[in-house]
C-alpha cells in the first residue's frame, strides 16, 4: 500500500471531486483515478461512491478513512523527528456549520485566526444542524458547529457558546408602542417568517411556541427560509415577525432595522456545539482550530 495512493484517496474525499483533488496535490486526474483503483484493488473493497454531483465514502471507505489519515500523520511525525523540526501549523481545515454560527461567528473568528495562524486554510460548508451532524458522522468534514447534540456515541459534542432565541419584529410605530413587551395574545394573531424543518433554530422555536401556548391553531406563515439571514431580511422588509437567534439580529437591532422582544418567563436559551467524530485522526491544524475557536467563543 503506497503512501501516494493514500494521499490521493484523502484528497478526493476532502475535495469530493477527482479533478479538484488533482489540482490540490498537483497530479493529473487520470493519475488520481489510477491511485484510487490500485488502492481499492489492494484492499478488495470499493472505497468511494461516484455520483453525478460529487464523490462520497462507501461503508468500507468510512471505516478506512481515519486509518488513512493516521498513516499520513505518522509519516509527517516521522519526518519531523528525523529532521528535528517542529511540525508547522499548516494545512486545510474543513468546517460544516449551521447558518447562525456560519454567518455571525465564523467570519470574525477566521479574521482572528488568520492573524495568529496564516498558514491554516479553511473550507466552509453551510447547512442546517441535521446536515452538519451527518457530515461529521460520514467523515465529510473535520469539525462541525450546530445546535443539535447527537446521541451517537461517535460524535463528540463540546459546548461552544450560549445563544438565545428572541422575537424580531419590524421597526414600525405599531411595534415600538409595545415598549419591549409583546402581548402573548397578539402572538397568536401575527404573521410569521420561519426557518426550515431540520434547523436548530426551528427546533428551538417549536419549544418556545409550546411554552407560549401557540400550538392551539396553526400559525400564519408568510415565508419559510433556509437561513437566518433570509429570515432576518424578511422581518426587516415587514413580511412578518420571527423567532430568531439573538446573534443573528444583533447588528440589525443596533442599526434600528428591527425590534427585539424577549420572554423572561420562559427559557429561550440554546447551546451551540462544536462537533467532531471520535474516530477521526486530528491533524495539528484541526486541533489548533478547535482550541482557538473555543477560546474565541468564550469572549463573545
Amino acid at each position: 500500500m503506497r503512501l501516494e495512493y493514500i494521499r490521493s484517496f484523502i484528497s478526493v474525499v476532502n475535495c469530493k471531486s477527482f479533478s479538484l483533488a488533482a489540482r490540490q496535490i498537483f497530479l493529473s486526474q487520470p493519475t488520481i483515478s489510477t491511485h484510487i483503483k490500485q488502492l481499492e484493488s489492494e484492499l478488495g473493497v470499493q472505497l468511494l461512491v461516484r455520483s453525478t454531483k460529487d464523490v462520497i465514502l462507501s461503508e468500507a471507505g468510512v471505516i478506512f478513512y481515519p486509518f488513512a489519515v493516521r498513516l499520513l500523520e505518522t509519516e509527517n511525525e516521522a519526518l519531523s523527528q528525523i529532521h528535528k523540526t517542529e511540525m508547522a501549523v499548516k494545512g486545510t481545515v474543513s468546517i460544516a456549520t449551521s447558518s447562525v454560527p456560519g454567518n455571525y461567528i465564523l467570519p470574525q473568528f477566521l479574521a482572528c485566526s488568520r492573524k495568529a495562524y496564516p498558514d491554516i486554510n479553511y473550507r466552509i460548508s453551510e447547512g442546517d444542524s441535521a446536515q452538519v451532524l451527518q457530515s461529521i458522522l460520514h467523515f465529510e468534514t473535520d469539525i462541525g458547529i450546530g445546535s443539535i447534540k447527537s446521541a451517537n456515541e461517535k460524535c463528540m459534542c463540546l459546548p461552544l457558546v450560549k445563544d438565545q432565541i428572541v422575537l424580531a419584529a419590524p421597526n414600525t410605530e405599531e411595534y415600538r408602542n409595545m415598549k419591549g413587551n409583546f402581548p402573548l395574545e397578539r402572538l397568536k394573531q401575527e404573521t410569521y417568517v420561519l426557518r426550515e424543518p431540520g434547523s436548530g433554530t426551528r427546533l428551538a422555536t417549536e419549544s418556545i411556541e409550546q411554552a407560549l401556548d401557540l400550538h392551539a391553531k396553526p400559525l400564519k406563515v408568510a415565508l419559510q427560509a433556509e437561513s437566518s439571514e433570509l429570515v432576518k431580511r424578511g422581518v426587516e422588509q415587514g413580511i412578518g415577525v420571527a423567532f430568531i437567534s439573538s446573534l443573528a439580529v444583533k447588528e440589525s437591532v443596533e442599526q434600528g432595522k428591527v425590534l427585539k422582544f424577549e420572554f423572561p418567563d420562559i427559557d429561550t436559551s440554546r447551546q451551540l456545539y462544536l462537533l467532531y467524530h471520535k474516530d477521526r485522526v486530528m491533524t495539528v491544524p484541526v486541533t489548533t482550530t478547535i482550541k482557538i475557536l473555543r477560546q474565541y467563543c468564550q469572549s463573545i
Side-chain angles (χ1 to χ4, degrees), residues 9-240:
F9 167 68
I10 291 173
S11 184
V12 171
V13 173
N14 290 340
C15 294
K16 296 186 179 180
S17 164
F18 279 76
S19 59
L20 291 178
R23 289 200 292 269
Q24 184 186 67
I25 58 178
F26 305 105
L27 294 175
S28 67
Q29 187 170 336
T31 298
I32 292 282
S33 297
T34 299
H35 286 178
I36 300 300
K37 288 179 181 177
Q38 290 287 351
L39 184 59
E40 290 178 328
S41 177
E42 287 185 27
L43 295 174
V45 294
Q46 182 180 1
L47 297 173
L48 300 172
V49 179
R50 302 156 181 84
S51 70
T52 56
K53 292 184 178 180
D54 54 22
V55 181
I56 62 174
L57 288 167
S58 67
E59 290 186 13
V62 170
I63 295 172
F64 180 70
Y65 180 82
F67 294 100
V69 174
R70 193 174 303 162
L71 284 171
L72 286 193
E73 281 299 296
T74 300
E75 178 195 31
N76 291 337
E77 290 174 9
L79 292 173
S80 175
Q81 290 296 318
I82 290 172
H83 298 294
K84 303 297 182 182
T85 59
E86 272 190 34
M87 292 182 65
V89 185
K90 179 179 181 180
T92 300
V93 178
S94 58
I95 303 176
T97 177
S98 57
S99 69
V100 168
N103 285 287
Y104 310 109
I105 294 178
L106 281 183
Q108 297 88 338
F109 162 73
L110 295 178
C112 294
S113 172
R114 290 290 296 172
K115 294 178 182 178
Y117 298 97
D119 291 326
I120 297 181
N121 300 313
Y122 294 95
R123 189 173 68 250
I124 310 296
S125 60
E126 185 178 310
D128 60 39
S129 290
Q131 291 169 331
V132 171
L133 277 177
Q134 288 304 308
S135 71
I136 294 298
L137 293 173
H138 289 89
F139 291 101
E140 294 174 354
T141 49
D142 294 312
I143 60 177
I145 307 174
S147 59
I148 298 179
K149 187 175 183 179
S150 175
N152 191 313
E153 63 179 12
K154 294 291 186 180
C155 185
M156 307 304 293
C157 304
L158 305 178
L160 191 61
V161 66
K162 277 282 189 180
D163 189 19
Q164 183 182 9
I165 302 298
V166 299
L167 184 76
N171 190 355
T172 62
E173 183 177 1
E174 176 186 11
Y175 294 105
R176 287 195 296 269
N177 288 337
M178 294 181 181
K179 308 294 184 183
N181 296 309
F182 209 106
L184 296 184
E185 284 303 313
R186 175 65 186 271
L187 284 173
K188 299 176 182 179
Q189 305 166 18
E190 286 290 340
T191 299
Y192 287 85
V193 181
L194 297 179
R195 281 294 306 277
E196 84 287 1
S199 76
T201 300
R202 180 66 175 269
L203 291 174
T205 295
E206 290 173 352
S207 297
I208 293 171
E209 290 171 0
Q210 290 179 348
L212 294 173
D213 194 28
L214 300 181
H215 278 297
K217 61 178 182 179
L219 298 178
K220 183 180 179 181
V221 179
L223 171 65
Q224 181 173 286
E226 293 187 355
S227 74
S228 292
E229 186 66 19
L230 286 174
V231 170
K232 182 180 68 174
R233 298 299 182 192
V235 175
E236 290 177 357
Q237 295 301 317
I239 295 175

